[in-house]
Amino acid sequence: MKNYLEKLLNKENLNLEEMKDATAYCFSNEVSESELASFLTALRAKGETPEEIAGLVEVVRSESNQTTNILPNVMDNCGTGGDRSYSFNISTTAAFVIAGAGVTIAKHGNRSITSKTGSADVLEHLGVSLSFSKQHVEEMLHDNNIAFLFAPHVHQGMKRFMKVRKDLRIPTIFNLIGPLTNPVDLDSQLLGVYRRDMLPMLAETLHKLGRKRALVINGAGHMDEASLAGENHITLLDQGKITSFTLHPSEVNLPVYDNQQILGGDAKDNAKILLQVLQGKEGPYYDTILLNAGLGIFANGAASSIQEGITKAKESIDSGAALEKLQRLVEYSNKVSSEAM
């Protein structure tokens, strides 16, 4: 570890194998908390590379008790958080719409960290279990096109890192990797990030992690979701090719809304918003989900254009398919809970 720290302090990048080795040390008892803090700080000061992020992610995933590759063409639509927009749970709501459109989605998420309500908070309020086993996740992905993976439950070896991160009180590489550490093997991904300068680098990281298709998005107002407030900056990864473009809601026949019109609240408030959207109540929340779910469907490759993705997202809601995905997940959660008693 000392050699890796010296390289980072000299502004030298670690290659993929070096980063995997360094991360493996961090999971062991051979590295003290002060060394771990120094490692994360040195990485931040130097600036992380796609190889370093990918190396860390590969080890984190390998340490999970739920790593699986049960189905082909599974995606996730988790964002990094950190935009402090205090919006409602956009990616969580969109996940059910994407699943209702026939795309298999392993929704990875956590409790609130920088927002009022995280995906786990709102789903728990709706009755979704946060402690699905690997078998439960596989059954739900196969039978329902959607499962929820609560990050602390599927990454129980990360507690040591979390304590150091909390003590450091500065952003580290872990503020970027949450959406990348999904233990389910993913072919495609919709990844939101609050830092616009990170789009190409995260697209390259997704390529190194084996994604066939992905969209990395920074929304208007620097949201880590697509926004109807104006121009969205997007980077597309498609079979190893990376391109960037912008998207205004008017280009896909959607209205413009200020980000203040999609504010959320506590878990109860956001659960109500989520249900209203899935029930087809039109307005800023509904249109925001059409955009984000449409982008997710396009990122997966289930639509040949963003406009087609939005059309499929609308059909998913209007047909009741999206709401049914949530209802079945809650029913399955109740079944699992009753069997455990």
Side-chain angles (χ1 to χ4, degrees):
M1 180 57 81
K2 181 182 177 182
N3 292 334
Y4 296 138
L5 275 173
E6 287 181 349
K7 285 192 73 171
L8 293 174
L9 291 171
N10 289 328
K11 304 294 183 182
E12 297 177 39
N13 299 329
L14 303 184
N15 62 38
L16 183 69
E17 293 305 317
E18 287 174 328
M19 189 62 184
K20 288 170 69 174
D21 191 41
T23 306
Y25 272 121
C26 292
F27 271 97
S28 72
N29 292 325
E30 297 177 44
V31 174
S32 66
E33 288 186 1
S34 60
E35 285 178 303
L36 180 53
S38 298
F39 181 66
L40 296 178
T41 304
L43 265 174
R44 165 75 190 279
K46 178 189 70 65
E48 301 89 349
T49 66
E51 289 80 8
E52 289 165 345
I53 298 174
L56 177 65
V57 167
E58 286 189 16
V59 175
V60 170
R61 290 187 70 249
S62 71
E63 292 284 338
S64 172
N65 59 1
Q66 293 201 21
T67 303
T68 182
N69 61 348
I70 182 176
L71 292 170
N73 203 23
V74 182
M75 75 168 297
D76 191 6
N77 70 330
C78 182
T80 62
D83 63 6
R84 299 190 180 277
S85 66
Y86 304 109
S87 63
F88 75 110
N89 294 94
I90 296 172
S91 65
T92 306
T93 310
F96 292 104
V97 180
I98 294 167
V103 176
T104 304
I105 184 160
K107 184 72 182 82
H108 189 235
N110 208 334
R111 293 195 183 277
S112 171
I113 297 175
T114 58
S115 61
K116 289 184 180 179
T117 308
S119 57
D121 301 304
V122 71
L123 290 177
E124 184 179 48
H125 185 82
L126 288 165
V128 175
S129 172
L130 303 186
S131 56
F132 285 135
S133 68
K134 180 178 178 180
Q135 180 184 344
H136 296 148
V137 169
E138 291 176 347
E139 287 180 1
M140 276 285 88
L141 290 178
H142 187 273
D143 298 338
N144 195 42
N145 290 124
I146 186 168
F148 182 66
L149 295 99
F150 181 43
H153 178 66
V154 300
H155 298 297
Q156 295 183 15
M158 297 291 291
K159 293 177 181 178
R160 191 161 179 253
F161 290 87
M162 297 306 103
K163 181 182 184 303
V164 171
R165 286 179 65 195
K166 185 176 181 180
D167 291 343
L168 278 175
R169 297 183 182 181
I170 60 171
T172 69
I173 191 171
F174 282 93
N175 292 79
L176 299 173
I177 69 163
L180 307 177
T181 59
N182 193 320
V184 177
D185 282 350
L186 306 175
D187 284 332
S188 58
Q189 191 155 359
L190 176 66
L191 170 60
V193 60
Y194 69 97
R195 282 182 55 185
R196 193 163 292 170
D197 62 305
M198 298 290 289
L199 296 179
M201 188 180 81
L202 285 175
E204 179 62 33
T205 302
L206 288 168
H207 175 53
K208 291 184 179 299
L209 290 171
R211 306 296 189 269
K212 296 173 183 175
R213 276 182 63 89
L215 286 181
V216 189
I217 295 177
N218 177 257
H222 292 275
M223 288 186 67
D224 73 328
E225 316 275 3
S227 165
L228 295 172
E231 198 169 65
N232 297 276
H233 291 250
I234 303 173
T235 297
L236 168 67
L237 165 67
D238 186 12
Q239 305 297 332
K241 182 180 179 182
I242 295 175
T243 55
S244 296
F245 59 96
T246 59
L247 179 73
H248 191 276
S250 62
E251 296 176 56
V252 286
N253 302 308
L254 288 174
V256 174
Y257 291 107
D258 188 273
N259 285 337
Q260 291 295 307
Q261 292 179 266
I262 57 168
L263 291 176
D266 60 18
K268 182 180 178 180
D269 295 330
N270 285 11
K272 181 180 178 181
I273 294 168
L274 184 153
L275 286 172
Q276 287 177 337
V277 170
L278 298 190
Q279 290 164 352
K281 183 180 179 180
E282 297 185 356
Y285 299 118
Y286 177 91
D287 289 327
T288 297
I289 292 305
L290 289 184
L291 177 58
N292 281 274
L295 285 163
I297 295 166
F298 173 68
N300 174 262
S304 59
S305 67
I306 296 170
Q307 187 70 70
E308 182 187 352
I310 291 170
T311 299
K312 289 190 173 187
K314 190 174 190 306
E315 291 171 354
S316 173
I317 297 174
D318 294 349
S319 68
L323 181 59
E324 183 184 0
K325 297 300 179 185
L326 170 61
Q327 291 169 338
R328 290 188 65 186
L329 193 58
V330 173
E331 289 169 4
Y332 189 82
S333 296
N334 292 335
K335 176 187 172 185
V336 168
S337 296
S338 64
E339 289 175 351
M341 293 177 67

